[in-house]
Amino acid sequence: MREIDITRGIIENHVEELMQSLKSDVVIVGAGPSGLVAGGFLAEMGINVTILEKKLAPGGGIWGGGMGYKYVIIQDEAKSVLDDYEIPSKPFENNLHAVDALALASGLIFGAAKRGAKIFNLVVVEDLLVREGRVNGVVINNTFAMMNHFPVDPITMEAKAVVDATGHDHDIVRTFSNKNDVSLNTPNGKPLGERSMFAEPAEDAVVTNTTEVYPGLYVCGMSTAAVYGGYRMGPIFGGMLLSGRKLADMLVEVCGNR
Ligand code: 48H
């Protein structure tokens, strides 16, 4: 056993996967529940999908459950996504199910990876590539470089579609709107901002507002609330799972047509 072989095994495999991601069909920014579900279903349908996550651990806002109590709730409509990913849940009441947040996070991460989504952690998307009025890629950097404010220039990945799955921050749409004189597909052309908690309409709106917000740029999960002025919903996650699944169905069509 030689250390240099271990090192080569790591570098060669990482670079091979990175090269496959340089021209993806879909790049999803953010490995929270909506991004992981979208990525898993897209990969299962044969789409070359890359998920970029700035933190060490994918999973986004799942891990902490509700205020650190480790269960989250999902509604009946989203149970089939749990079943597809073989994530256990317990029936609760009023068509609700309780899910161990740790099982949900790890199950969605493994489910997406197992289906062939390429997930890179410690990668920040700091900007977009835009050509002729269409988003066609992402500008990426290393999380440690960004955290330390090192003057390290970014590199790029091309994609037919880019997804903002960055949660409450809607980091990608916000940056894109701030930096460019562009009009988004919203009532005033700008992100509308998230509203206070009101779970039921919030859950419906997350799915309804899973859409193309600018040519080539899509939103899913909690970033839809920030972009389209939706309510927040607290630790109920069905809307996130259904938003990811809706996005996957939309993007399969888009990738086939481009
Ligand atoms: C790379 C990035 C960048 C970047 C951010 O917040 P998330 O879990 O996202 P969703 O929308 O799938 O799920 C939302 C849910 O977790 C939640 O917060 C709910 C239901 N809240 C309700 C309420 O009322 O509070 O994950 C987003 C991920 C995170 O892991 C970020 O680290 C990552 O995106 N991310 N990755 N480049 N620029 N910005």
Side-chain angles (χ1 to χ4, degrees):
M1 186 191 292
R2 294 168 63 212
E3 290 81 359
I4 200 76
D5 294 335
I6 297 170
T7 304
R8 207 160 37 78
I10 291 168
I11 294 176
E12 280 182 12
N13 281 285
H14 185 92
V15 170
E16 185 187 337
E17 211 170 299
L18 199 54
M19 291 302 286
Q20 290 165 6
S21 289
L22 283 194
K23 277 176 177 264
S24 295
D25 291 320
V26 178
V27 165
I28 297 174
V29 189
S34 65
L36 287 167
V37 168
F41 282 129
L42 282 164
E44 193 166 56
M45 293 187 278
I47 301 295
N48 178 5
V49 57
T50 300
I51 306 178
L52 302 172
E53 169 55 52
K54 69 180 178 183
K55 293 193 176 146
L56 180 60
I62 304 172
W63 297 104
M67 206 192 80
Y69 289 41
K70 70 163 187 148
Y71 274 83
V72 296
I73 300 298
I74 67 130
Q75 52 279 58
D76 256 353
E77 300 90 296
K79 170 84 167 41
S80 62
V81 180
L82 292 184
D83 296 340
D84 277 337
Y85 277 73
E86 295 180 55
I87 296 169
S89 60
K90 291 192 277 192
F92 184 51
E93 50 193 45
N94 296 326
N95 300 325
L96 299 177
H97 305 261
V99 191
D100 180 324
L102 307 182
L104 180 61
S106 56
L108 292 181
I109 297 165
F110 182 56
K114 189 170 64 171
R115 285 166 170 76
K118 291 183 287 297
I119 309 172
F120 293 96
N121 59 347
L122 299 174
V123 174
V124 183
V125 174
E126 59 168 79
D127 206 344
L128 294 175
L129 294 176
V130 190
R131 291 292 176 282
E132 293 162 6
R134 186 175 182 90
V135 170
N136 70 343
V138 289
V139 177
I140 59 173
N141 215 326
N142 172 282
T143 292
F144 299 121
M146 297 293 279
M147 282 169 75
N148 288 299
H149 305 289
F150 289 152
V152 177
D153 270 340
I155 58 174
T156 58
M157 282 178 179
E158 280 185 11
K160 294 174 189 163
V162 174
V163 180
D164 183 332
T166 66
H168 296 272
D169 272 359
H170 64 298
D171 201 21
I172 304 309
V173 173
R174 184 168 42 77
T175 303
F176 179 60
S177 174
N178 286 342
K179 280 185 125 171
N180 301 282
D181 182 20
V182 288
S183 182
L184 304 175
N185 167 26
T186 64
N188 67 3
K190 301 275 170 207
L192 301 181
E194 180 186 302
R195 302 169 75 184
S196 297
M197 195 183 292
F198 191 177
E200 194 155 337
E203 284 289 272
D204 291 341
V206 162
V207 181
T208 307
N209 292 327
T210 296
T211 188
E212 188 175 31
V213 65
Y214 188 82
L217 180 61
Y218 295 76
V219 281
C220 71
M222 205 60 210
S223 72
T224 62
V227 172
Y228 286 101
Y231 296 103
R232 68 185 302 183
M233 69 293 290
I236 179 158
F237 277 72
M240 301 302 131
L241 309 183
L242 295 173
S243 167
R245 190 166 69 186
K246 176 181 171 186
L247 185 83
D249 289 338
M250 286 174 68
L251 290 184
V252 163
E253 307 265 316
V254 170
C255 291
N257 293 337
R258 281 183 61 81

